[in-house]
Amino acid sequence: MVSKGPLLRLVTAINRRRMKLLMGLAFVAYVASVWGNFVNMRSLQENGDQKVESKIEEAVAPLREKIKDLEKRKRNVEHWIGHENFELINHDVVEPLYIEVDQIYHLASPASPPNYMYNPIKTLKTNTIGTLNMLGLAKRVGARLLLASTSEVYGDPEVHPQNEDYWGHVNPIGPRACYDEGKRVAETMCYAYMKQEGVEVRVARIFNTFGPRMHMNDGRVVSNFILQALQGEPLTVYGPGTQTRAFQYVSDLVNGLVALMNSNVSSPVNLGNPEEHTILEFAQLIKKLVGSGSEIQFLSEAQDDPQKRKPDIRKAKLLLGWEPVVPLEEGLNKAIHYFRKELEYQANNQYIPKPKPARMKKGRTRHN
């Protein structure tokens, strides 16, 4: 019988040798890795292709943009800070919200094509799960909910102008579908909750809106044209510029939303300005109002870009007593003044915003 003492000493000695060997191999691997990294770093620096500094800057730049955007959005509401009837809650509607309210204006969703196509799944979640959460909140507390729907539910319309009875002409799998169909199913959810759970709902189909405090580089046609004209850059028109749009000033929209919320109208209502312009006419108008010498640059036409857009607002006039009152040029002058002041502020803070380019889909560009 072998005693345990010598056996343990033998095993310990073998383990020591193994440990030394493993440590030696690890050290060799470490040296090889460091040397390889050193050679690679040196090669990168010598070639000047991908310096570490440029990589760091590349990673930090988007974060810097987001910080600037957050600062901008804070300034949009800073004049309300301290008001007894104002409270700002930072919350994602995809998660349930538990508060006590009487009315819910559900406006949550990216609305410009570059933004809603950047993350189509998030756009869909916001308009579906987010809407379910807001309807759930309305049901729990007995609140009335107003859904900010959109003229995009009409798609590329075959009826002109568009009234609320028109079912639309939408591509359910196109690049705009995440937003178009997201809003269409949000409307369906509202009326399902109304019929099954007795929730009071209001649905506003909002047409193109502009005004002060809109995001300067969100990629929408108004912000793009004004920013480009103020900075002396070409105004980018997608396609021939014959597509039509109808633009309303933000204060008119707010008045319409409040009127709809406090009405007895539960069916969808168009809120927009029926004054129709082509995109090219609109670009020329902004050039004139800014006093810009910018050229107009024509780019590729976009897939599924609606060719005509004009609201029929007879229902809003009849049932809400509402119609737009701010003339287009007056509203544009206010927006241009705001953008000019904002550019001065950004320049003083060493940040110059650029219009967000239209998101490419299969080699094609778009605008709204």
Side-chain angles (χ1 to χ4, degrees):
M1 183 175 180
V2 180
S3 66
K4 293 183 180 180
L7 181 60
L8 286 174
R9 283 196 295 273
L10 177 61
V11 170
T12 302
I14 293 171
N15 284 341
R16 282 201 199 101
R17 284 196 292 271
R18 283 180 178 173
M19 285 297 296
K20 287 179 181 179
L21 179 60
L22 288 172
M23 289 179 67
L25 289 172
F27 179 75
V28 170
Y30 174 77
V31 170
S33 174
V34 170
W35 176 252
N37 287 338
F38 173 77
V39 171
N40 288 337
M41 288 288 291
R42 185 175 179 183
S43 175
L44 286 172
Q45 290 180 348
E46 288 175 351
N47 293 335
D49 293 331
Q50 296 176 320
K51 292 186 178 179
V52 175
E53 293 84 354
S54 66
K55 282 293 182 184
I56 293 174
E57 178 59 28
E58 184 180 324
V60 169
L63 298 176
R64 189 179 293 120
E65 292 279 337
K66 287 187 178 296
I67 291 169
K68 293 292 183 181
D69 285 349
L70 287 171
E71 290 174 353
K72 164 78 166 54
R73 291 165 192 162
K74 284 182 180 177
R75 295 208 318 280
N76 278 357
V77 297
E78 66 182 3
H79 55 292
W80 288 110
I81 301 297
H83 193 284
E84 60 180 2
N85 294 327
F86 178 80
E87 180 182 2
L88 178 63
I89 301 173
N90 187 7
H91 183 83
D92 186 344
V93 294
V94 173
E95 302 297 330
L97 180 63
Y98 301 97
I99 55 175
E100 296 294 323
V101 291
D102 300 313
Q103 295 181 339
I104 301 168
Y105 288 80
H106 177 32
L107 281 71
S109 176
S112 75
N115 284 344
Y116 65 63
M117 288 195 295
Y118 174 75
N119 190 340
I121 293 175
K122 181 64 175 179
T123 300
L124 282 165
K125 283 184 175 180
T126 301
N127 284 298
T128 54
I129 300 172
T131 300
L132 282 174
N133 284 334
M134 292 301 100
L135 286 165
L137 172 62
K139 177 187 172 184
R140 282 194 303 274
V141 301
R144 177 179 293 178
L145 179 139
L146 184 147
L147 171 69
S149 188
T150 171
S151 59
E152 293 289 344
V153 300
Y154 300 125
D156 188 5
E158 298 172 318
V159 170
H160 192 74
Q162 297 81 55
N163 61 44
E164 292 86 351
D165 293 329
Y166 178 52
W167 289 359
H169 179 225
V170 177
N171 179 359
I173 58 172
R176 302 173 83 101
C178 61
Y179 183 67
D180 300 2
E181 299 290 17
K183 287 296 187 182
R184 285 162 70 95
V185 76
E187 289 192 13
T188 303
M189 290 174 175
C190 285
Y191 291 110
Y193 263 77
M194 182 181 76
K195 292 172 185 175
Q196 183 173 322
E197 305 295 344
V199 174
E200 288 190 70
V201 299
R202 304 290 182 264
V203 174
R205 290 178 178 166
I206 301 171
F207 284 68
N208 296 68
T209 307
F210 71 95
R213 298 195 179 96
M214 70 185 301
H215 202 296
M216 290 205 302
N217 58 341
D218 72 350
R220 280 185 267 201
V221 62
V222 178
S223 51
N224 274 3
F225 283 172
I226 295 177
L227 193 56
Q228 288 166 338
L230 287 172
Q231 294 181 326
E233 297 180 353
L235 276 64
T236 50
V237 173
Y238 298 94
T242 56
Q243 313 94 310
T244 67
R245 295 292 184 271
F247 298 93
Q248 67 180 330
Y249 190 66
V250 62
S251 62
D252 284 331
L253 172 61
V254 171
N255 291 336
L257 291 174
V258 173
L260 177 59
M261 172 65 91
N262 295 299
S263 75
N264 293 320
V265 183
S266 59
S267 55
V269 178
N270 287 339
L271 294 179
N273 190 334
E275 183 182 335
E276 187 179 15
H277 294 273
T278 68
I279 294 297
L280 183 57
E281 289 171 349
F282 195 65
Q284 292 166 339
L285 176 59
I286 288 179
K287 270 188 62 177
K288 184 187 78 171
L289 295 177
V290 171
S292 171
S294 296
E295 298 178 350
I296 294 178
Q297 182 182 18
F298 295 89
L299 302 179
S300 299
E301 190 173 5
Q303 181 185 352
D304 298 340
D305 193 21
Q307 295 304 299
K308 290 187 178 294
R309 188 63 61 75
K310 177 182 177 180
D312 181 336
I313 62 169
R314 286 178 295 177
K315 186 174 181 178
K317 284 183 177 181
L318 178 64
L319 300 181
L320 305 180
W322 175 89
E323 63 181 314
V325 297
V326 179
L328 179 61
E329 289 197 18
E330 180 183 328
L332 284 174
N333 279 324
K334 291 180 179 179
I336 290 166
H337 175 74
Y338 167 79
F339 272 50
R340 187 174 274 121
K341 291 291 185 183
E342 192 66 17
L343 280 174
E344 292 174 2
Y345 176 89
Q346 302 287 13
N348 291 335
N349 287 271
Q350 298 181 339
Y351 171 68
I352 305 297
K354 295 293 181 184
K356 185 176 289 186
R359 189 164 173 80
M360 302 292 290
K361 289 288 180 178
K362 296 180 181 179
R364 307 180 77 175
T365 48
R366 63 172 43 258
H367 70 232
N368 185 25

